[in-house]
Amino acid sequence: MFSYKIVLVGDFGTGKTSLIRRFVDNSFSEEYKSSIGVAISKKVLNQTIDGTLHTSTMMIWDIEGKTEFKPIFSHHLNGAKAFILVVDITRKDSIDSIIEHLQMCEKASVKSPIFIALNKSDLEYEPINEDEIKNLSSNIVKIFKTSAKDDICVQDIFELLNFEVIKGSLK
């Protein structure tokens, strides 16, 4: 069985923990609890590639979000096979920090795939130019508009990430 680490990065309050809970436990809570340090969840997945079934264990690192006064500790990113950069689509400051988070991920792992979760898409938000975001890095595989609350594209982002990591490990 193939086991690997992924990390969800983003500012505080973007919904990283909620996305993980929706994916791992199929649950959602309106109650906000800020993550402190690192929480690790795991999910076993089956993926068929070229007719062969691959079973993998995704170790999902939920790290404390960046605030104005507290950065993300980059050593938590070491060893990650992929990243999900979580953005609160309703907060301009969260959108503005995408470049900073991309640079941090790319510094930790030069070629790892990066997925962008424009989270809280169930709420009202200003239109976003996804092409501009996609053009920020060649490591960005796909951008998803997600909602942990309404379970929008949560499975999709994690399953595509799993596919990309397994496919990359077969090379």
Side-chain angles (χ1 to χ4, degrees):
M1 184 182 314
F2 178 61
S3 182
Y4 64 94
K5 170 184 177 179
I6 69 160
V7 181
L8 274 71
V9 297
D11 291 349
F12 75 97
T14 56
K16 296 179 295 296
T17 302
S18 294
L19 286 171
I20 293 168
R21 281 190 189 141
R22 175 59 76 185
F23 177 62
V24 173
D25 303 324
N26 196 27
S27 67
F28 177 81
S29 173
E30 293 277 356
E31 195 174 299
Y32 176 72
K33 291 181 182 172
S34 181
S35 296
I36 298 172
V38 177
I40 302 172
S41 301
K42 74 176 185 176
K43 177 106 176 186
V44 176
L45 298 160
N46 291 309
Q47 180 74 56
T48 301
I49 299 177
D50 297 329
T52 303
L53 180 65
H54 299 271
T55 300
S56 61
T57 302
M58 182 186 290
M59 304 303 295
I60 307 166
W61 285 48
D62 180 8
I63 61 175
E64 185 173 2
K66 182 187 84 65
T67 68
E68 183 179 349
F69 304 105
K70 191 170 189 180
I72 291 174
F73 296 109
S74 59
H75 64 272
H76 292 309
L77 308 181
N78 293 339
K81 296 292 184 195
F83 300 96
I84 298 177
L85 198 164
V86 184
V87 178
D88 181 340
I89 199 169
T90 69
R91 288 183 10 220
K92 185 176 180 342
D93 64 315
S94 176
I95 296 163
D96 291 345
S97 68
I98 289 174
I99 293 172
E100 178 184 349
H101 292 300
L102 281 172
Q103 291 170 342
M104 190 173 52
C105 292
E106 290 175 335
K107 185 177 179 187
S109 184
V110 178
K111 298 195 186 252
S112 289
I114 299 171
F115 298 80
I116 309 281
L118 299 174
N119 200 31
K120 303 186 183 182
S121 66
D122 56 298
L123 303 174
E124 283 191 37
Y125 57 90
E126 296 294 318
I128 292 178
N129 186 333
E130 291 183 35
D131 289 334
E132 272 183 25
I133 295 171
K134 180 84 168 91
N135 290 333
L136 292 173
S137 171
S138 60
N139 291 345
I140 296 173
V141 175
K142 188 160 180 163
I143 298 170
F144 290 86
K145 288 184 180 158
T146 60
S147 168
K149 180 180 179 183
D150 290 349
D151 197 10
I152 298 169
C153 289
V154 178
Q155 295 291 327
D156 299 340
I157 195 168
F158 283 96
E159 288 175 3
L160 181 59
L161 181 149
N162 185 61
F163 175 83
E164 290 293 325
V165 169
I166 291 174
K167 187 175 79 174
S169 75
L170 299 174
K171 291 181 181 178

